[in-house]
Amino acid sequence: MPKNKDDNKKDKKPSVNPKLEGFDVKIDSFGEIQTSFDIDRINQFLNKEVEDKKLKDREDIEDLKNKDEEE
């Protein structure tokens, strides 16, 4: 009998950005999200790597990005 496809999916780990290597998310029995990274580190990564669709038409967006990088 052929192996079930769901078993293959459980064994594979998703490919991630090298900057997020080791990032893990779990939900505990109370429904709280537990992560292996600090939320500030995650937000900093998202600010640098992901374009915000709502802010893309702003003229001062590059200034804001540069300010975040300096901190």
Side-chain angles (χ1 to χ4, degrees), residues 44-60:
Q44 187 179 29
F45 171 79
L46 292 174
N47 288 339
K48 288 181 184 177
E49 302 295 327
V50 179
E51 182 179 348
D52 191 341
K53 292 179 183 179
K54 293 179 183 177
L55 301 177
K56 69 179 181 181
D57 294 331
R58 286 183 57 164
E59 294 176 6
D60 62 342

Side-chain angles (χ1 to χ4, degrees), residues 15-30:
S15 61
V16 296
N17 188 306
K19 294 179 184 176
L20 293 178
E21 195 68 37
F23 178 65
D24 189 34
V25 177
K26 294 182 182 181
I27 300 175
D28 65 9
S29 59
F30 298 110

Side-chain angles (χ1 to χ4, degrees), residues 17 19-20 39-53 55-56 61-71:
N17 188 306
K19 294 179 184 176
L20 293 178
I39 192 69
D40 291 330
R41 182 175 172 190
I42 297 168
N43 284 333
Q44 187 179 29
F45 171 79
L46 292 174
N47 288 339
K48 288 181 184 177
E49 302 295 327
V50 179
E51 182 179 348
D52 191 341
K53 292 179 183 179
L55 301 177
K56 69 179 181 181
I61 193 67
E62 289 300 322
D63 296 334
L64 294 174
K65 281 187 180 181
N66 292 336
K67 181 180 177 183
D68 287 341
E69 288 177 3
E70 291 176 1
E71 294 177 354

